[in-house]
Amino acid sequence: MSLLHPSALHIKLRRELWHMRGQVLAIALVIAGGIAVCLLSLVNYASLTTTRDQYYQDHQFADVFVSMTRAPRHLLQRVANIPGVIRLSGRVEGVAKLEVAGFNDPVSARLVSLPTTGQPEVNRLYLRQGRLPAPPRSDEVAVIGSFAEAHSLQLGDRLDAIINGRRQPLRVVGIVESPEFIYVIPPGGMLPDYERYGVLWMPQEALESAMDMRGAFNSMVLRVDPSFPVAGVIDLLDRQLARYGSTGAYAREDQFSNRFLSDELNQLKTMALIFPAIFMGVAMFLVNVVVTRLISTQRDIIAVLKAFGYSNQQIGLHYSQLVLVIAMIGLLIGTLAGMWLGRALSVLYMEFYRFPTLVFSISPWWVVVLGLITLIVVLLGSWRSIRRAASLPPAEAMRPEGPARYQVTLIERLLSRVRFTQPSRMIVRHLTRRPARTALSIMGVAMATAIVVVGNFQLSSVSLMVHTQFSRVQKQDLTLSLTDPVNQAAMYSMARQPGVRYVEGRRMVAVELVNGHRKWRTALSGIPADSQLQFVVDEHLTDVPIPPAGLLLTDFLAERLAVAPGELLQVRVLEGHRSTLNLPVAGVTSEFLGVGAYMNLQAMNRALKEGPLVNQILMNLEPDSAEKVYRDLRDTPRVMAINVRLAMLDSFFETLAKTFLTYTFIISLLGGIIAFGVIYNTVRISLAERGRDLASLRVLGYTHNEVSHILLGELAILLLLGIPLGWAVGHGLAHFIVMAMQTELYRVPLVITGRTRALAANVVIASALISGFITWSRLRRLDLVSVLKTRE
């Protein structure tokens, strides 16, 4: 038999793609959704990581940090001779309370000295505007960009500062960024508050004079040769600086800003692996189901091709090309969308992290590998159907697919007492007599539902985090952080101030918790037994009492230290007399924000062999008295920082929640696209499979609405069964994501509310309604004449 020209298959392929353009686009969108999620995550993570590393390198970010009470400057030469130290800066640090024109809330700042040469050797500044302060001028300062933007500060603007109890006017001459303060958090706070806390740089001589530190320094940052172990340098530093009130040197990974930034980037890395894996897995599964059913509708076409002499290999290659073209369309759309969304999301994170510039980074090999994986997975998933279709004997392929076994199924027996209409009975029979196909369709609906659940559950989780932290855990209006611990009697004078309703003290002590080779630097919180403003709650929002003796740890911290209740934990105090305590772990609880270690205040002071001391004071204020209290506290000595609870709540939504929820919004949007692609293809393929049967029913006298009822009724049952299953699958996937996304900054709780389930169901139902309307319209245009033709 003579063969047609090989290009005939290409013509068929083009015509078929155009004829199925709606299905092709829907399948391509399913693939594109998975690709876009993967790429936007990878682009975001790669760009931010490259930007951070480049920023650290260009501006000589320190490898080691150490603070002390006071050390003479001649000590710097001895430190410089420590093996491995290649750069160091000894500097003066202090705190100030600021008055900003037009802003009545309390404002505090961290002060850092600049050498006479301008730029420090370590932690060099990036100058956004203006210049660095000139050494002879004691009133000039450079301000960190986040604080300047929050108050719309311009070059030449003036600030009034209270430094070491003395009022001093300051003039802004520069707006800068620093690798040391990418994440700016006030003392005693957990989140950035750009309006109420900033970082200011002053000439060294001016700050030495203001802090009574002439010829001395109280902070040091060092760069270490990469070939030398940082731990060895830290050990030598601690030996040399112990007599000067050192709180202990620590490496870059323990530096506050870098630790939180690294946690955020690690979380992005986790999301870059988990979300794409879930989305791509779901997308590939659904594509394979769709392709399998699509090929099964072309048995008669395969028979005609074989009758004209096409070989099994040619037919297999033809359908492989059909699958590959669809995958390539999805790959192209997904790549473009993922790159664009990834860059846009990186720009949003730039506003949060304060990098000078964004280094857009994405390895071309990632795109190539992702494309190859997509094509291979799609081919492998559909290869069984392609091989089975290509190997069909021509005579068998010419016959319609064998009818289902016509026997009464178990489900029909169970429903025998229900008086179904004839179309409804047809629906039940069609679904029950093809159980494998029905199960796949239900699973497709379930996976579409699960994708939307995974993309949206974080909103409820974040809301619970906010409610827990700012309504159940913290009930104070203000938190005062003091420069040094004071006797609890000092609280009573503050309680008598007009506008103050209630005060309560607690103590925060910098410690290093040690269990064998595991270490963790944190703050130990001493909370009074009768606390009314500060609470510890578990994951069920139940109050957890502070044990009368021993430590109460969060589960995150206990897991990192590999310690359990009843075991002893070494507590190295990093301030004061730097004592070492061995305390039992009295309990473990769960928290959503931060990493907590708690102790009864009285027990803490006894263990430290000190009197009834506090260094933080919590206040509740009378209504409409806030501004007066703020003014009084601004002039109160020994107050280092003032944190406003409602301001922290605003900060949460402006920083953490903004970036986090933007990412999840994009994920949920792509999830909705995948859901629509799944439902649309499910309906269209069902129409393709049953088009002849439905047309026959029209010829037999069934109305358009009755025929539509048969097809759309099947879809309704698939939704009814698939959506609840999707909720369960989504819950499992969300649990996996929550477990993988735990960081020191926050642990997202698993909260899937009725609102989230309803949203997922509505997205799937809306997709079904749109798809159903398109199908209903096509049913009106069924070619009834075609049913009079016989298949020979």
Side-chain angles (χ1 to χ4, degrees):
M1 181 180 293
S2 62
L3 297 180
L4 294 178
H5 194 276
S7 63
L9 284 180
H10 297 157
I11 296 173
K12 174 183 179 294
L13 178 63
R14 290 196 298 270
R15 289 177 176 174
E16 206 157 50
L17 288 171
W18 176 250
H19 177 69
M20 300 188 306
R21 56 189 179 275
Q23 288 173 267
V24 168
L25 181 60
I27 298 173
L29 286 178
V30 173
I31 299 174
I35 296 291
V37 170
C38 188
L39 275 181
L40 82 88
S41 303
L42 290 174
V43 167
N44 202 25
Y45 172 73
S47 297
L48 291 176
T49 302
T50 303
T51 299
R52 178 198 62 180
D53 295 344
Q54 189 69 48
Y55 186 32
Y56 281 1
Q57 181 64 34
D58 292 346
H59 292 79
Q60 297 295 312
F61 185 45
D63 298 304
V64 178
F65 303 77
V66 60
S67 297
M68 62 220 73
T69 304
R70 183 187 183 98
R73 285 210 162 264
H74 66 76
L75 188 66
L76 293 173
Q77 186 57 49
R78 289 170 52 190
V79 174
N81 293 330
I82 293 177
V85 175
I86 56 177
R87 290 173 181 264
L88 80 159
S89 291
R91 59 196 189 177
V92 176
E93 290 192 21
V95 295
K97 286 178 285 187
L98 305 179
E99 294 181 13
V100 182
F103 191 75
N104 297 322
D105 286 9
V107 180
S108 56
R110 180 173 178 176
L111 305 176
V112 183
S113 67
L114 288 173
T116 54
T117 55
Q119 281 282 10
E121 288 290 315
V122 183
N123 295 345
R124 299 173 67 86
L125 302 179
Y126 172 79
L127 195 62
R128 284 194 182 274
Q129 296 181 42
R131 58 176 175 82
L132 295 180
R137 303 298 300 271
S138 62
D139 64 337
E140 293 185 350
V141 293
V143 180
I144 197 163
S146 56
F147 183 78
E149 288 184 10
H151 292 282
S152 301
L153 294 178
Q154 302 295 326
L155 300 180
D157 287 352
R158 294 190 173 274
L159 303 169
D160 287 328
I162 299 176
I163 306 174
N164 202 20
R166 294 185 289 267
R167 185 175 294 272
Q168 181 174 340
L170 302 174
R171 184 166 60 91
V172 178
V173 297
I175 297 175
V176 299
E177 304 291 351
S178 168
E180 186 178 1
F181 300 107
I182 294 175
Y183 209 99
V184 183
I185 295 182
M190 316 176 108
L191 298 165
D193 187 353
Y194 299 138
E195 285 189 315
R196 296 164 186 83
Y197 186 73
V199 184
L200 277 60
W201 284 263
M202 296 178 63
Q204 177 178 304
E205 185 177 345
L207 192 52
E208 283 181 351
S209 177
M211 298 297 298
D212 298 328
M213 294 283 290
R214 291 189 180 277
F217 64 96
N218 61 3
S219 174
M220 186 188 301
V221 287
L222 306 92
R223 290 275 290 174
V224 178
D225 191 318
S227 62
F228 281 78
V230 172
V233 174
I234 289 176
D235 184 60
L236 292 173
L237 270 176
D238 287 342
R239 294 181 187 180
Q240 292 197 13
L241 300 177
R243 71 182 68 178
Y244 301 105
S246 168
T247 58
Y250 53 93
R252 178 190 291 182
E253 55 262 26
D254 291 322
Q255 196 262 345
F256 202 74
S257 173
N258 179 73
R259 181 192 284 186
F260 277 75
L261 176 59
S262 297
D263 274 349
E264 282 288 292
L265 293 182
N266 286 336
Q267 190 178 71
L268 282 177
K269 182 180 180 180
T270 302
M271 295 166 78
L273 296 174
I274 293 178
F275 274 107
I278 293 173
F279 272 61
M280 287 295 292
V282 171
M284 294 304 102
F285 166 77
L286 297 173
V287 167
N288 294 335
V289 171
V290 167
V291 170
T292 299
R293 295 184 65 182
L294 179 65
I295 293 176
S296 69
T297 63
Q298 299 206 3
R299 289 170 56 92
D300 53 343
I301 298 176
I302 294 172
V304 171
L305 291 174
K306 289 197 170 188
F308 277 94
Y310 283 97
S311 65
N312 291 352
Q313 291 77 12
Q314 287 175 309
I315 294 175
L317 179 61
H318 167 69
Y319 283 102
S320 297
Q321 290 173 340
L322 175 66
V323 172
L324 287 175
V325 169
I326 297 174
M328 288 295 293
I329 295 173
L331 185 60
L332 178 62
I333 297 173
T335 300
L336 295 176
M339 298 283 278
W340 179 74
L341 289 172
R343 186 179 183 89
L345 198 59
S346 296
V347 172
L348 175 64
Y349 274 92
M350 283 284 292
E351 298 178 8
F352 180 41
Y353 293 131
R354 311 297 307 176
F355 291 124
T357 55
L358 174 64
V359 181
F360 185 73
S361 175
I362 180 66
S363 173
W365 287 108
W366 287 3
V367 180
V368 172
V369 169
L370 184 60
L372 288 175
I373 291 174
T374 301
L375 297 178
I376 290 172
V377 170
V378 170
L379 270 180
L380 289 178
S382 56
W383 178 247
R384 182 180 177 185
S385 298
I386 294 174
R387 185 172 60 85
R388 186 170 62 247
S391 60
L392 274 175
E396 181 180 346
M398 291 291 288
R399 294 196 303 268
E401 191 173 359
R405 291 166 54 189
Y406 283 95
Q407 62 181 14
V408 180
T409 62
L410 176 62
I411 295 179
E412 287 184 90
R413 292 194 189 101
L414 294 176
L415 298 177
S416 60
R417 296 182 181 276
V418 181
R419 298 177 63 86
F420 286 119
T421 63
Q422 194 61 35
S424 298
R425 192 176 299 275
M426 292 179 184
I427 293 173
V428 174
R429 287 177 176 172
H430 185 263
L431 292 175
T432 56
R433 291 175 178 175
R434 295 181 182 269
R437 183 173 297 179
T438 301
L440 287 176
S441 299
I442 293 173
M443 184 57 67
V445 174
M447 297 303 270
T449 307
I451 283 289
V452 183
V453 169
V454 167
N456 287 276
F457 84 95
Q458 292 95 333
L459 179 61
S460 300
S461 300
V462 169
S463 298
L464 178 62
M465 290 168 60
V466 173
H467 169 75
T468 302
Q469 189 64 35
F470 299 108
S471 296
R472 293 285 289 109
V473 174
Q474 299 182 14
K475 294 190 175 181
Q476 74 276 17
D477 296 323
L478 294 180
T479 301
L480 310 184
S481 296
L482 309 180
T483 55
D484 299 295
V486 299
N487 193 286
Q488 293 184 18
M491 296 189 302
Y492 303 133
S493 62
M494 291 190 174
R496 290 193 295 269
Q497 291 185 7
V500 177
R501 177 187 297 173
Y502 178 77
V503 298
E504 182 176 289
R506 70 179 178 189
R507 187 171 181 186
M508 306 290 288
V509 178
V511 298
E512 184 177 52
L513 304 178
V514 182
N515 182 33
H517 66 280
R518 294 179 172 86
K519 301 178 181 179
W520 194 276
R521 291 175 67 100
T522 186
L524 180 60
S525 304
I527 299 178
D530 57 348
S531 175
Q532 301 296 315
L533 300 180
Q534 183 78 10
F535 300 90
V536 178
V537 300
D538 60 18
E539 58 186 354
H540 304 295
L541 305 187
T542 303
D543 290 343
V544 178
I546 304 296
L551 302 171
L552 177 65
L553 304 179
T554 59
D555 51 0
F556 181 88
L557 185 54
E559 181 181 344
R560 293 298 185 273
L561 294 171
V563 67
E567 298 179 358
L568 286 178
L569 190 63
Q570 188 179 83
V571 180
R572 297 176 183 172
V573 181
L574 302 178
E575 58 186 59
H577 300 296
R578 294 178 58 83
S579 56
T580 299
L581 310 173
N582 290 305
L583 299 175
V585 177
V588 175
T589 185
S590 300
E591 283 189 329
F592 300 141
L593 289 176
V595 176
Y598 304 97
M599 193 173 180
N600 179 275
L601 179 59
Q602 290 74 22
M604 174 193 287
N605 283 327
R606 284 196 304 268
L608 295 174
K609 299 180 181 179
E610 297 175 347
L613 302 180
V614 296
N615 60 2
Q616 284 192 348
I617 298 177
L618 285 59
M619 290 185 172
N620 269 355
L621 308 180
E622 297 287 350
D624 303 325
S625 300
E627 290 190 15
K628 182 181 185 308
V629 174
Y630 295 160
R631 287 194 301 269
D632 294 340
L633 292 176
R634 189 178 294 139
D635 298 325
T636 302
R638 306 182 75 172
V639 175
M640 177 173 60
I642 304 173
N643 295 320
V644 182
R645 181 171 62 96
L646 291 180
M648 288 191 290
L649 179 60
D650 293 339
S651 173
F652 181 88
F653 283 109
E654 285 298 318
T655 55
L656 180 64
K658 181 179 179 181
T659 53
F660 184 75
L661 294 180
T662 299
Y663 183 91
T664 56
F665 170 76
I666 295 174
I667 295 294
S668 62
L669 182 64
L670 293 173
I673 292 174
I674 289 179
F676 173 76
V678 171
I679 302 299
Y680 179 76
N681 275 289
T682 299
V683 177
R684 284 299 309 274
I685 291 177
S686 294
L687 177 60
E689 290 175 338
R690 305 192 63 190
R692 188 180 185 87
D693 298 335
L694 296 175
S696 299
L697 292 176
R698 289 296 311 279
V699 171
L700 294 174
Y702 280 80
T703 66
H704 172 259
N705 289 337
E706 288 175 321
V707 172
S708 300
H709 169 69
I710 294 173
L711 188 63
L712 300 182
E714 287 184 14
L715 176 61
I717 293 177
L718 294 178
L719 294 179
L720 188 64
L721 298 175
I723 289 175
L725 179 60
W727 290 338
V729 174
H731 190 281
L733 294 176
H735 177 73
F736 176 72
I737 291 171
V738 164
M739 296 303 295
M741 287 174 56
Q742 294 188 5
T743 69
E744 181 185 355
L745 179 57
Y746 58 88
R747 273 80 58 197
V748 179
L750 178 57
V751 180
I752 299 181
T753 63
R755 179 182 178 277
T756 302
R757 295 189 182 92
L759 178 61
N762 287 337
V763 169
V764 173
I765 291 172
S767 301
L769 289 175
I770 296 172
S771 304
F773 177 77
I774 296 173
T775 304
W776 180 83
S777 300
R778 286 184 172 272
L779 283 172
R780 296 188 67 89
R781 300 194 300 271
L782 276 178
D783 185 6
L784 303 184
V785 177
S786 64
V787 301
L788 302 178
K789 301 176 182 177
T790 58
R791 295 182 181 180
E792 299 295 340

